[in-house]
């Protein structure tokens, strides 16, 4: 069976499914999936070097904001 975000099992009722994949240098970019919707990825061109963060409303599950913080350059 298919589970949200490609996870190995389904989440319990009243829980959100998510998957965060770290990048590999500058070969494979990071990605963030939430409830079977990719929020950030190299395909969406909204990731950057450093910390990639997606802010999601914890009650509704709606995406509020995405951003990347470059920890190398300060």
């Amino acid at each position: 069976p298919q589970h949200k975000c490609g996870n190995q099992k389904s989440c319990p009722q009243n829980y959100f499914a998510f998957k965060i994949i770290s990048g590999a240098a500058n070969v494979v970019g990071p990605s963030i999936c939430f409830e079977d919707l990719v929020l950030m990825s190299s395909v969406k061109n909204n990731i950057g070097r450093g910390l990639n963060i997606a802010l999601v409303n914890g009650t509704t599950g709606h995406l509020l904001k995405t951003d990347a913080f470059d920890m190398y350059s300060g």
Side-chain angles (χ1 to χ4, degrees):
Q2 289 253 253
H3 304 289
K4 291 181 180 176
C5 293
N7 289 324
Q8 293 183 356
K9 59 183 181 177
S10 293
C11 293
Q13 190 172 2
N14 297 323
Y15 284 78
F16 292 119
F18 70 94
K19 188 174 195 175
I20 300 172
I21 299 174
S22 178
N26 54 354
V27 178
V28 177
S31 68
I32 299 175
C33 177
F34 184 81
E35 283 294 298
D36 233 11
L37 177 67
V38 177
L39 303 179
M40 299 183 80
S41 72
S42 56
V43 173
K44 294 185 79 111
N45 199 28
N46 64 348
I47 58 169
R49 168 173 83 173
L51 297 174
N52 291 278
I53 297 176
L55 180 62
V56 177
N57 182 308
T59 303
T60 65
H62 290 111
L63 177 64
L64 301 174
K65 184 177 180 179
T66 62
D67 211 340
F69 298 92
D70 188 342
M71 303 302 286
Y72 181 76
S73 69

